[in-house]
PDB file of all heavy atoms in Angstrom:
ATOM      1  N   PRO L  52      77.449  68.247 109.653  1.00 97.00           N
ATOM      2  CA  PRO L  52      78.035  66.895 109.641  1.00 97.00           C
ATOM      3  C   PRO L  52      79.023  66.739 110.808  1.00 97.00           C
ATOM      4  O   PRO L  52      79.705  67.707 111.155  1.00 97.00           O
ATOM      5  CB  PRO L  52      78.799  66.841 108.310  1.00 97.00           C
ATOM      6  CG  PRO L  52      78.347  68.030 107.524  1.00 97.00           C
ATOM      7  CD  PRO L  52      77.782  69.029 108.464  1.00 97.00           C
ATOM      8  N   PRO L  53      79.092  65.548 111.401  1.00 97.00           N
ATOM      9  CA  PRO L  53      80.005  65.341 112.540  1.00 97.00           C
ATOM     10  C   PRO L  53      81.447  65.732 112.218  1.00 97.00           C
ATOM     11  O   PRO L  53      82.169  66.244 113.079  1.00 97.00           O
ATOM     12  CB  PRO L  53      79.903  63.837 112.827  1.00 97.00           C
ATOM     13  CG  PRO L  53      78.616  63.408 112.210  1.00 97.00           C
ATOM     14  CD  PRO L  53      78.320  64.337 111.072  1.00 97.00           C
ATOM     15  N   ALA L  54      81.860  65.537 110.969  1.00 97.00           N
ATOM     16  CA  ALA L  54      83.249  65.860 110.618  1.00 97.00           C
ATOM     17  C   ALA L  54      83.443  67.359 110.341  1.00 97.00           C
ATOM     18  O   ALA L  54      84.567  67.801 110.090  1.00 97.00           O
ATOM     19  CB  ALA L  54      83.661  65.058 109.386  1.00 97.00           C
ATOM     20  N   ASP L  55      82.364  68.117 110.384  1.00 97.00           N
ATOM     21  CA  ASP L  55      82.442  69.549 110.053  1.00 97.00           C
ATOM     22  C   ASP L  55      81.521  70.289 111.032  1.00 97.00           C
ATOM     23  O   ASP L  55      80.495  70.845 110.648  1.00 97.00           O
ATOM     24  CB  ASP L  55      81.980  69.744 108.586  1.00 97.00           C
ATOM     25  CG  ASP L  55      81.973  71.204 108.146  1.00 97.00           C
ATOM     26  OD1 ASP L  55      82.600  72.046 108.830  1.00 97.00           O
ATOM     27  OD2 ASP L  55      81.332  71.501 107.115  1.00 97.00           O
ATOM     28  N   PRO L  56      81.901  70.310 112.323  1.00 95.00           N
ATOM     29  CA  PRO L  56      80.968  70.784 113.357  1.00 95.00           C
ATOM     30  C   PRO L  56      80.561  72.248 113.212  1.00 95.00           C
ATOM     31  O   PRO L  56      79.500  72.638 113.701  1.00 95.00           O
ATOM     32  CB  PRO L  56      81.733  70.551 114.662  1.00 95.00           C
ATOM     33  CG  PRO L  56      83.163  70.397 114.267  1.00 95.00           C
ATOM     34  CD  PRO L  56      83.179  69.845 112.883  1.00 95.00           C
ATOM     35  N   PHE L  57      81.386  73.069 112.544  1.00 96.00           N
ATOM     36  CA  PHE L  57      81.018  74.484 112.385  1.00 96.00           C
ATOM     37  C   PHE L  57      80.326  74.760 111.045  1.00 96.00           C
ATOM     38  O   PHE L  57      79.980  75.894 110.754  1.00 96.00           O
ATOM     39  CB  PHE L  57      82.244  75.391 112.530  1.00 96.00           C
ATOM     40  CG  PHE L  57      82.797  75.390 113.930  1.00 96.00           C
ATOM     41  CD1 PHE L  57      83.983  74.737 114.215  1.00 96.00           C
ATOM     42  CD2 PHE L  57      82.118  76.023 114.957  1.00 96.00           C
ATOM     43  CE1 PHE L  57      84.489  74.720 115.504  1.00 96.00           C
ATOM     44  CE2 PHE L  57      82.606  76.009 116.252  1.00 96.00           C
ATOM     45  CZ  PHE L  57      83.797  75.359 116.534  1.00 96.00           C
ATOM     46  N   GLY L  58      80.156  73.719 110.226  1.00 97.00           N
ATOM     47  CA  GLY L  58      79.459  73.915 108.950  1.00 97.00           C
ATOM     48  C   GLY L  58      80.267  74.738 107.962  1.00 97.00           C
ATOM     49  O   GLY L  58      79.727  75.532 107.187  1.00 97.00           O
ATOM     50  N   GLU L  59      81.568  74.513 107.950  1.00 97.00           N
ATOM     51  CA  GLU L  59      82.407  75.333 107.067  1.00 97.00           C
ATOM     52  C   GLU L  59      82.198  75.026 105.589  1.00 97.00           C
ATOM     53  O   GLU L  59      82.365  75.911 104.750  1.00 97.00           O
ATOM     54  CB  GLU L  59      83.876  75.187 107.459  1.00 97.00           C
ATOM     55  CG  GLU L  59      84.131  75.895 108.772  1.00 97.00           C
ATOM     56  CD  GLU L  59      85.548  75.732 109.248  1.00 97.00           C
ATOM     57  OE1 GLU L  59      85.928  74.610 109.628  1.00 97.00           O
ATOM     58  OE2 GLU L  59      86.282  76.724 109.225  1.00 97.00           O
ATOM     59  N   ALA L  60      81.802  73.782 105.278  1.00 97.00           N
ATOM     60  CA  ALA L  60      81.588  73.453 103.860  1.00 97.00           C
ATOM     61  C   ALA L  60      80.410  74.256 103.310  1.00 97.00           C
ATOM     62  O   ALA L  60      80.518  74.888 102.248  1.00 97.00           O
ATOM     63  CB  ALA L  60      81.359  71.948 103.697  1.00 97.00           C
ATOM     64  N   VAL L  61      79.305  74.283 104.048  1.00 98.00           N
ATOM     65  CA  VAL L  61      78.143  75.031 103.546  1.00 98.00           C
ATOM     66  C   VAL L  61      78.430  76.537 103.596  1.00 98.00           C
ATOM     67  O   VAL L  61      78.007  77.302 102.716  1.00 98.00           O
ATOM     68  CB  VAL L  61      76.845  74.621 104.299  1.00 98.00           C
ATOM     69  CG1 VAL L  61      76.781  75.177 105.707  1.00 98.00           C
ATOM     70  CG2 VAL L  61      75.620  75.045 103.515  1.00 98.00           C
ATOM     71  N   GLN L  62      79.193  76.956 104.597  1.00 98.00           N
ATOM     72  CA  GLN L  62      79.579  78.379 104.680  1.00 98.00           C
ATOM     73  C   GLN L  62      80.345  78.803 103.422  1.00 98.00           C
ATOM     74  O   GLN L  62      80.074  79.846 102.823  1.00 98.00           O
ATOM     75  CB  GLN L  62      80.458  78.605 105.915  1.00 98.00           C
ATOM     76  CG  GLN L  62      81.152  79.965 105.952  1.00 98.00           C
ATOM     77  CD  GLN L  62      82.174  80.054 107.070  1.00 98.00           C
ATOM     78  OE1 GLN L  62      81.813  80.062 108.236  1.00 98.00           O
ATOM     79  NE2 GLN L  62      83.446  80.109 106.734  1.00 98.00           N
ATOM     80  N   MET L  63      81.305  77.969 103.008  1.00 98.00           N
ATOM     81  CA  MET L  63      82.121  78.324 101.845  1.00 98.00           C
ATOM     82  C   MET L  63      81.305  78.300 100.553  1.00 98.00           C
ATOM     83  O   MET L  63      81.490  79.149  99.680  1.00 98.00           O
ATOM     84  CB  MET L  63      83.326  77.391 101.733  1.00 98.00           C
ATOM     85  CG  MET L  63      84.362  77.658 102.782  1.00 98.00           C
ATOM     86  SD  MET L  63      84.924  79.387 102.742  1.00 98.00           S
ATOM     87  CE  MET L  63      86.045  79.374 104.109  1.00 98.00           C
ATOM     88  N   ALA L  64      80.414  77.303 100.440  1.00 98.00           N
ATOM     89  CA  ALA L  64      79.562  77.244  99.243  1.00 98.00           C
ATOM     90  C   ALA L  64      78.671  78.480  99.183  1.00 98.00           C
ATOM     91  O   ALA L  64      78.494  79.100  98.124  1.00 98.00           O
ATOM     92  CB  ALA L  64      78.728  75.964  99.269  1.00 98.00           C
ATOM     93  N   ASN L  65      78.120  78.865 100.335  1.00 98.00           N
ATOM     94  CA  ASN L  65      77.276  80.067 100.363  1.00 98.00           C
ATOM     95  C   ASN L  65      78.112  81.318 100.086  1.00 98.00           C
ATOM     96  O   ASN L  65      77.669  82.227  99.380  1.00 98.00           O
ATOM     97  CB  ASN L  65      76.577  80.202 101.724  1.00 98.00           C
ATOM     98  CG  ASN L  65      75.402  79.249 101.855  1.00 98.00           C
ATOM     99  OD1 ASN L  65      74.846  78.818 100.854  1.00 98.00           O
ATOM    100  ND2 ASN L  65      75.023  78.914 103.079  1.00 98.00           N
ATOM    101  N   LEU L  66      79.318  81.362 100.650  1.00 98.00           N
ATOM    102  CA  LEU L  66      80.154  82.558 100.457  1.00 98.00           C
ATOM    103  C   LEU L  66      80.437  82.784  98.971  1.00 98.00           C
ATOM    104  O   LEU L  66      80.387  83.921  98.483  1.00 98.00           O
ATOM    105  CB  LEU L  66      81.472  82.411 101.233  1.00 98.00           C
ATOM    106  CG  LEU L  66      82.453  83.572 101.057  1.00 98.00           C
ATOM    107  CD1 LEU L  66      81.848  84.902 101.523  1.00 98.00           C
ATOM    108  CD2 LEU L  66      83.763  83.292 101.799  1.00 98.00           C
ATOM    109  N   ARG L  67      80.721  81.696  98.260  1.00 98.00           N
ATOM    110  CA  ARG L  67      81.018  81.835  96.827  1.00 98.00           C
ATOM    111  C   ARG L  67      79.858  82.546  96.109  1.00 98.00           C
ATOM    112  O   ARG L  67      80.061  83.499  95.360  1.00 98.00           O
ATOM    113  CB  ARG L  67      81.256  80.445  96.232  1.00 98.00           C
ATOM    114  CG  ARG L  67      81.767  80.470  94.803  1.00 98.00           C
ATOM    115  CD  ARG L  67      81.720  79.092  94.200  1.00 98.00           C
ATOM    116  NE  ARG L  67      80.356  78.580  94.251  1.00 98.00           N
ATOM    117  CZ  ARG L  67      80.014  77.302  94.430  1.00 98.00           C
ATOM    118  NH1 ARG L  67      80.917  76.386  94.572  1.00 98.00           N
ATOM    119  NH2 ARG L  67      78.750  76.938  94.452  1.00 98.00           N
ATOM    120  N   ASP L  68      78.648  82.083  96.394  1.00 98.00           N
ATOM    121  CA  ASP L  68      77.485  82.651  95.700  1.00 98.00           C
ATOM    122  C   ASP L  68      77.122  84.047  96.211  1.00 98.00           C
ATOM    123  O   ASP L  68      76.817  84.947  95.431  1.00 98.00           O
ATOM    124  CB  ASP L  68      76.287  81.709  95.847  1.00 98.00           C
ATOM    125  CG  ASP L  68      76.494  80.413  95.057  1.00 98.00           C
ATOM    126  OD1 ASP L  68      77.413  80.371  94.220  1.00 98.00           O
ATOM    127  OD2 ASP L  68      75.748  79.451  95.296  1.00 98.00           O
ATOM    128  N   VAL L  69      77.176  84.212  97.531  1.00 98.00           N
ATOM    129  CA  VAL L  69      76.797  85.516  98.108  1.00 98.00           C
ATOM    130  C   VAL L  69      77.791  86.595  97.654  1.00 98.00           C
ATOM    131  O   VAL L  69      77.394  87.703  97.254  1.00 98.00           O
ATOM    132  CB  VAL L  69      76.734  85.420  99.658  1.00 98.00           C
ATOM    133  CG1 VAL L  69      76.552  86.796 100.286  1.00 98.00           C
ATOM    134  CG2 VAL L  69      75.587  84.504 100.089  1.00 98.00           C
TER     135      VAL L  69
END
Side-chain angles (χ1 to χ4, degrees):
D55 178 16
F57 293 107
E59 288 177 291
V61 74
Q62 168 189 292
M63 288 304 178
N65 283 337
L66 177 60
R67 188 191 58 214
D68 291 346
V69 171

